[in-house]
Amino acid sequence: MPALSRSGNVTVDWLEQSRFEVCGNLKDNVHSLTARLVVSFPDFVILEATGDITSMPYPGFCQGSIAALEGLIGERIGRGFRKRAGEIVGGAASCSHLHTLVTNMATCAFQMNYVAAKENPESAAAMREARDDARLRREMVLGWMPQLRNSCFVFSEAADQLFQLTGKKKD
């Protein structure tokens, strides 16, 4: 049996067409925390931020860190968010575990771009058409979400040449 085991879960769902809710929890042998963000769509601005800590090493004290979540209201999830979140919920005024949870939630929140595209009949058809062509699928995704440029290896400028070389459909 491991000395420490940690699990986390994030769910994201629409509240209405222009906003969605991100709920997350993190639990290990010592901690149990939850957070909830309401985020505008498609601009990804945090409209509400709440949370709770129900299991912690210092009951009555650790819960004070939850107040830092309010500092996320008005922040935009996108490039630079991890750093800003670290400044807001990752320092002495908050909890490192809360920071871990919030950044994981933000990563999941950004996937709502893909969910929205799949729910749009034209976009869904384009995705089906590009299913077997990695170059075309990559170009399409970058067209929908230009903010992904240089966010990871696949969407990096350095990978452009790789996708040009392997852009043909594979048999």
Side-chain angles (χ1 to χ4, degrees):
M1 175 171 266
L4 178 77
S5 177
R6 175 173 285 177
S7 63
N9 186 55
V10 177
T11 60
V12 187
D13 204 1
W14 295 108
L15 295 172
E16 56 190 49
Q17 191 175 8
S18 63
R19 63 191 186 113
F20 58 90
E21 173 184 67
V22 186
C23 295
N25 66 61
L26 181 142
K27 186 175 178 89
D28 62 30
N29 303 36
V30 180
H31 306 91
S32 180
L33 14 121
T34 61
R36 176 182 179 266
L37 305 175
V38 174
V39 181
S40 64
F41 184 82
D43 57 347
F44 289 88
V45 173
I46 297 174
L47 305 172
E48 297 176 32
T50 58
D52 194 16
I53 301 177
T54 57
S55 181
M56 70 228 75
Y58 298 98
F61 297 96
C62 290
Q63 292 98 329
S65 65
I66 292 296
L69 284 171
E70 290 180 17
L72 294 172
I73 296 172
E75 290 290 332
R76 184 182 164 283
I77 297 172
R79 193 170 304 280
F81 179 79
R82 246 180 238 274
K83 181 179 181 193
R84 290 189 313 280
E87 293 165 354
I88 296 167
V89 294
S94 188
C95 168
S96 63
H97 309 294
L98 190 58
H99 176 241
T100 298
L101 177 58
V102 165
T103 55
N104 191 28
M105 291 168 64
T107 300
C108 294
F110 201 73
Q111 296 300 311
M112 288 305 270
N113 277 308
Y114 184 72
V115 171
K118 282 178 50 177
E119 291 174 354
N120 176 309
E122 287 179 21
S123 300
M127 278 192 259
R128 283 190 302 277
E129 212 172 285
R131 179 181 47 234
D132 297 325
D133 186 335
R135 181 191 56 77
L136 180 60
R137 195 170 61 248
R138 178 178 179 262
E139 287 175 6
M140 181 177 59
V141 169
L142 281 171
W144 291 337
M145 297 176 280
Q147 61 272 41
L148 287 178
R149 183 53 121 167
N150 291 317
S151 67
C152 71
F153 176 76
V154 168
F155 295 120
S156 71
E157 291 175 14
D160 286 351
Q161 186 177 13
L162 174 67
F163 278 87
Q164 294 303 319
L165 296 173
T166 62
K168 295 184 179 180
K169 287 187 178 182
K170 295 184 179 183
D171 297 324

